[in-house]
Amino acid sequence: MSAWKAAGITYLQYTNICARSLRNSLKDDVRAIALRREQNNVRFAKWENGVQREQVRNVLYFCCKY
């Protein structure tokens, strides 16, 4: 049985834990670049009759932390 199954977590949770551990082990200059990949930008826009009218908001959020 896989270690992540035995621990009672999903594969996605397991890979997120591994990625976070790897990023934390990097040197400071490289870590800053890697941490930027953890951020996501989301834009919401109103659409009317198949045309984008206005941008509602631009949200910056970070991926889930376990």
Side-chain angles (χ1 to χ4, degrees), residues 2 4-5 9 11 14 17 20 24 26-28 30 32 35 37 41 44 50 52-59 65:
S2 300
W4 56 271
K5 282 185 182 179
I9 61 175
Y11 184 72
Y14 167 73
I17 292 168
R20 187 172 57 243
N24 289 337
L26 297 172
K27 293 182 180 180
D28 290 335
V30 181
L35 287 175
R37 292 188 194 125
N41 290 312
F44 296 95
Q52 182 179 350
R53 292 295 177 193
E54 62 181 74
Q55 181 178 333
V56 177
R57 57 186 143 150
N58 192 4
V59 180
K65 303 281 186 193

Side-chain angles (χ1 to χ4, degrees), residues 15-25 38 64-66:
T15 56
N16 282 336
I17 292 168
C18 292
R20 187 172 57 243
S21 298
L22 177 64
R23 284 190 294 269
N24 289 337
S25 68
E38 195 173 293
C64 300
K65 303 281 186 193
Y66 295 100

